[in-house]
């Protein structure tokens, strides 16, 4: 049933409206899925794909199964490193389904000055539906992260050079996040995102035992609840996330992160 709905949605958008890339609406990493796209709630090397000013140095591999569909998968690979006051990253994301393919390659650059980080992404997106010609787009994102003791915030603008080509539409979106450490073991985060309408999300991350954290978040407009955890062992961290949708089966994602010294 889910497979039929996804195929119908793709074909409906193709024939009767502009097709919005699935990349624009689905998080691939487990931390981002569990935190409802609140990038400050679960930071990893993959976070730069969501917000160009938020990332940790290391290597991240992720796999996601949207809506529990075994024939629809999203995988990604991200690398982030720091040299002096600059941080650089590259990554790729592949969305695969029998009738739909979407490939993304991005380059990230960050300037770090004390407690302020400025970041930018340049992304190349290729989308292909079986039986139709492929669509390509080049877009850019900018972001800022600011931290002061236990309080931090971030801003980002996606698709600042919005691309409209054939059936592909990548609308400009804005997001603001605020996060505060309630204690040394709990982080509370809220976010506001604007595409066509405003969307609100809130989440909490807290320690159960050292190096093991639980994540809980909620998206108010879509009424979607998400859970997950981060489990760290020395330089490795395993993340898991699950999101419950109103009409479709839950989405699952797992990430393996390796952090540099």
């Amino acid at each position: 049933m889910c497979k039929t709905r996804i195929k119908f949605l793709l074909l409906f958008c193709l024939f009767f409206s502009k097709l919005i890339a699935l990349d624009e609406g689905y998080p691939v990493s487990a931390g981002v899925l569990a935190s409802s796209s609140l990038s400050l709630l679960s930071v990893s090397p993959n976070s730069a794909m969501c917000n160009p000013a938020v990332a940790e140095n290391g290597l991240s591999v992720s796999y996601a199964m949207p809506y529990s569909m075994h024939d629809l998968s999203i995988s990604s690979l991200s690398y982030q490193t720091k040299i002096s006051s600059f941080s650089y990253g590259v990554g790729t994301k592949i969305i695969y389904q029998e009738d739909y393919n979407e490939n993304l390659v991005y380059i990230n650059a960050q300037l770090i000055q004390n407690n302020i980080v400025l970041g930018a992404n340049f992304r190349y997106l290729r989308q292909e539906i079986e039986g139709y010609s492929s669509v390509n787009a080049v877009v850019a994102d900018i972001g800022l992260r600011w931290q002061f003791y236990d309080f931090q915030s971030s801003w980002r603008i996606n698709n600042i050079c919005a691309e409209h080509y054939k059936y592909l539409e990548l609308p400009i979106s804005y997001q603001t996040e605020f996060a505060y450490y309630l204690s040394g073991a709990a982080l509370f985060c809220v976010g506001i995102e604007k595409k066509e309408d405003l969307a609100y999300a809130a989440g909490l991350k807290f320690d159960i035992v050292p190096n093991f954290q639980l994540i809980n978040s909620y998206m108010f407009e879509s009424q979607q609840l998400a859970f997950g955890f981060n489990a760290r062992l020395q330089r490795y961290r395993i993340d898991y996330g699950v999101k419950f949708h109103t009409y479709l089966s839950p989405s699952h994602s797992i990430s393996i992160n390796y952090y540099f010294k």
Side-chain angles (χ1 to χ4, degrees):
M1 179 63 69
C2 291
K3 179 178 178 180
T4 303
R5 289 178 179 176
I6 293 294
K7 285 185 175 180
F8 175 79
L9 178 61
L10 292 174
L11 292 176
F12 178 86
C13 293
L14 182 64
F15 284 109
F16 299 102
S17 63
K18 293 185 176 180
L19 181 59
I20 298 178
L22 184 58
D23 164 72
E24 291 302 303
Y26 190 89
V28 59
S29 71
V32 176
L33 183 68
S35 60
S36 297
S37 297
L38 296 171
S39 58
L40 296 179
L41 203 58
S42 181
V43 183
S44 73
N46 189 276
S47 300
M49 192 178 297
C50 178
N51 187 325
V54 180
E56 288 187 342
N57 299 325
L59 184 68
S60 180
V61 179
S62 298
Y63 179 84
M65 185 186 297
Y67 318 113
S68 300
M69 295 179 60
H70 297 280
D71 60 343
L72 175 62
S73 64
I74 306 179
S75 55
S76 73
L77 175 65
S78 299
Y79 170 87
Q80 194 81 21
T81 188
K82 180 183 177 184
I83 302 176
S84 185
S85 297
F86 296 91
S87 181
Y88 306 92
V90 295
T92 182
K93 176 161 62 174
I94 300 174
I95 302 175
Y96 175 79
Q97 202 271 340
E98 182 181 358
D99 302 316
Y100 178 84
N101 289 279
E102 188 171 304
N103 301 318
L104 168 74
V105 178
Y106 78 91
I107 299 175
N108 172 260
Q110 298 178 3
L111 173 63
I112 304 171
Q113 294 292 326
N114 297 324
N115 58 342
I116 296 178
V117 180
L118 297 175
N121 283 346
F122 297 93
R123 296 184 288 138
Y124 168 74
L125 177 67
R126 176 181 174 86
Q127 184 186 68
E128 184 176 3
I129 297 179
E130 184 179 4
Y132 298 90
S133 59
S134 61
V135 179
N136 303 277
V138 177
V139 294
D141 317 314
I142 58 174
L144 184 147
R145 182 183 185 182
W146 174 75
Q147 186 167 2
F148 183 75
Y149 292 100
D150 292 335
F151 176 81
Q152 58 180 315
S153 62
S154 69
W155 301 267
R156 67 170 170 85
I157 305 176
N158 281 10
N159 309 324
I160 57 175
C161 50
E163 183 80 16
H164 298 273
Y165 180 72
K166 294 184 178 179
Y167 296 101
L168 184 63
E169 180 178 356
L170 297 171
I172 297 179
S173 64
Y174 309 85
Q175 187 190 50
T176 301
E177 293 182 38
F178 302 96
Y180 181 75
Y181 282 95
L182 302 176
S183 66
L187 176 66
F188 176 72
C189 185
V190 295
I192 304 173
E193 184 175 14
K194 183 183 185 304
K195 290 183 179 179
E196 295 180 356
D197 301 313
L198 291 176
Y200 302 88
L204 179 67
K205 180 177 69 174
F206 53 95
D207 294 348
I208 299 297
V209 294
N211 297 322
F212 187 88
Q213 300 169 316
L214 289 182
I215 302 172
N216 182 20
S217 64
Y218 185 74
M219 300 182 70
F220 292 91
E221 277 61 40
S222 57
Q223 299 180 348
Q224 294 181 349
L225 186 66
F227 295 95
F229 67 79
N230 299 337
R232 188 157 188 165
L233 178 62
Q234 296 180 352
R235 295 189 187 182
Y236 293 91
R237 195 182 83 188
I238 297 177
D239 301 341
Y240 170 75
V242 57
K243 175 176 282 190
F244 300 93
H245 308 282
T246 306
Y247 302 107
L248 300 176
S249 300
S251 296
H252 302 269
S253 180
I254 186 169
S255 300
I256 300 176
N257 308 291
Y258 175 79
Y259 295 92
F260 301 145
K261 184 176 179 180

